[in-house]
Amino acid sequence: MKLKWIGFTALGLVALLAAYLGVALLRLPSVEPLADSGMNLTIQVKDWKGNQHPFVVGPQNRYWTPSSGTPAEMQWAVVVAEDANFYQHEGIDVKAIKNAIKYDLEKKRFARGASTITQQVVKNLFLTREKTLTRKVEEIILAKRMEHRLTKGRILELYLNVVELGPMVYGIGHGAQCYFGKPASRLTPRECAFLAALLPGPQVAFNPYRHLSRVLKRSDMILGLLRDKGVLTGEEYRLALAEVPNISGMQKKVDQSVSARVQRFFQRAFRLFQ
């Protein structure tokens, strides 16, 4: 009798969970509009203080960079760095998930993720950052739908235009201007690798304002992967490796920040003596 009661309870819980997930899935947004290259979508992004800001994804964004204006080295840099199997999988990389689980078990903590570029586009455009079973199921289903409705080129275009690269710096168009003072179309292979090197964590682990040497070391690794992939020739690789990134745009922002802090300091000091 007790076993029968436990069985009915388990079945009831499964049914409730299935019903809950079913309702959640019915409310999922459509990915169809994303196929239109002229589409504009307003999402919310966070600054480094946690405040939300509206952000336009599409040609109405002044930093929008279409695939035609994106260097091949930039496109491949994020693929080799973030999702090596991007052109093989259909939204979910099962092998990467298995490797991530194995790595996390060895480290006894959640040390490595396994999100594909497609999944990251889904998270950036449609979902919250909460870590729940429902949200993960939604992410997987939307990623699969996106892969069936959009080309790989379109998915990569969206990714490159929404990815976070600094404090309120979203997309490679803004990143190119922020760090190098130029449009994304004029980025060199070294500069492409530099931007791709920020992606694991521009706010903390790969914050170029605090860990520039770490970012440069990772960009060296990405250049090596581009050479191995055949994107760069041996000579192009050597030239890129020897290039010192001209981060004049970033230095200007640092100088402005320091100048602003100094100015605020003297303003406060002046008020104290009034």
Side-chain angles (χ1 to χ4, degrees):
M1 185 69 181
K2 187 176 181 181
L3 287 175
K4 186 181 291 187
W5 180 84
I6 293 174
F8 281 128
T9 302
L11 285 173
L13 289 173
V14 170
L16 284 173
L17 178 60
Y20 175 73
L21 290 174
V23 172
L25 296 179
L26 286 173
R27 296 166 57 188
L28 287 179
S30 172
V31 301
E32 296 283 355
L34 298 178
D36 179 5
S37 60
M39 173 223 68
N40 290 282
L41 173 69
T42 300
I43 62 174
Q44 294 293 314
V45 297
K46 284 186 178 182
D47 60 28
W48 285 6
K49 293 181 180 179
N51 300 315
Q52 298 268 11
H53 301 269
F55 178 82
V56 176
V57 180
Q60 288 181 3
N61 185 321
R62 65 190 178 115
Y63 292 116
W64 177 260
T65 305
S67 294
S68 58
T70 305
E73 294 89 349
M74 185 71 254
Q75 297 181 35
W76 276 106
V78 298
V79 169
V80 299
E82 292 292 291
D83 187 1
N85 297 318
F86 175 65
Y87 288 104
Q88 283 75 50
H89 65 65
E90 295 185 354
I92 309 299
D93 191 339
V94 177
K95 183 178 179 181
I97 292 173
K98 290 179 179 178
N99 290 337
I101 292 173
K102 181 180 177 181
Y103 187 85
D104 290 344
L105 289 174
E106 290 174 353
K107 297 295 181 180
K108 297 181 179 179
R109 60 189 175 91
F110 292 109
R112 179 183 292 180
S115 290
T116 63
I117 283 176
T118 312
Q119 287 175 272
Q120 291 180 57
V121 172
V122 166
K123 284 187 284 189
N124 285 327
L125 296 185
F126 297 125
L127 303 178
T128 65
R129 295 294 176 176
E130 62 179 346
K131 294 183 178 181
T132 64
L133 175 62
T134 302
R135 197 204 64 80
K136 195 63 181 178
V137 171
E138 291 174 343
E139 177 188 310
I140 291 172
I141 290 175
L142 284 173
K144 298 292 286 185
R145 289 180 182 176
M146 193 173 287
E147 287 278 345
H148 290 149
R149 303 292 194 279
L150 278 61
T151 64
K152 289 286 188 179
R154 177 58 173 166
I155 294 171
L156 191 57
E157 180 181 65
L158 290 166
Y159 175 75
L160 288 170
N161 279 282
V162 298
V163 71
E164 183 183 18
L165 294 169
M168 276 309 295
V169 179
Y170 286 86
I172 59 166
H174 196 181
Q177 287 291 348
C178 175
Y179 294 111
F180 307 114
K182 63 170 70 171
S185 59
R186 290 174 47 207
L187 290 171
T188 67
R190 162 62 91 177
E191 291 165 346
C192 291
F194 182 95
L195 293 182
L198 304 176
L199 294 180
Q203 187 172 352
V204 183
F206 290 90
N207 182 328
Y209 299 98
R210 296 180 179 177
H211 307 296
L212 183 58
S213 61
R214 187 183 298 173
V215 174
L216 291 174
K217 184 177 180 180
R218 178 168 164 79
S219 73
D220 288 348
M221 180 270 291
I222 292 172
L223 286 172
L225 292 174
L226 290 177
R227 177 201 56 194
D228 297 342
K229 196 75 176 175
V231 179
L232 298 178
T233 65
E235 181 62 20
E236 289 170 335
Y237 167 70
R238 286 189 290 274
L239 289 173
L241 206 59
E243 179 186 335
V244 178
N246 179 13
I247 50 176
S248 57
M250 185 175 105
Q251 187 58 51
K252 183 179 179 181
K253 290 192 71 172
V254 172
D255 291 342
Q256 289 174 340
S257 178
V258 171
S259 175
R261 286 199 296 269
V262 170
Q263 186 177 17
R264 286 196 297 270
F265 171 79
F266 281 110
Q267 285 175 343
R268 287 195 295 268
F270 180 73
R271 284 196 294 269
L272 287 173
F273 287 100
Q274 281 185 317

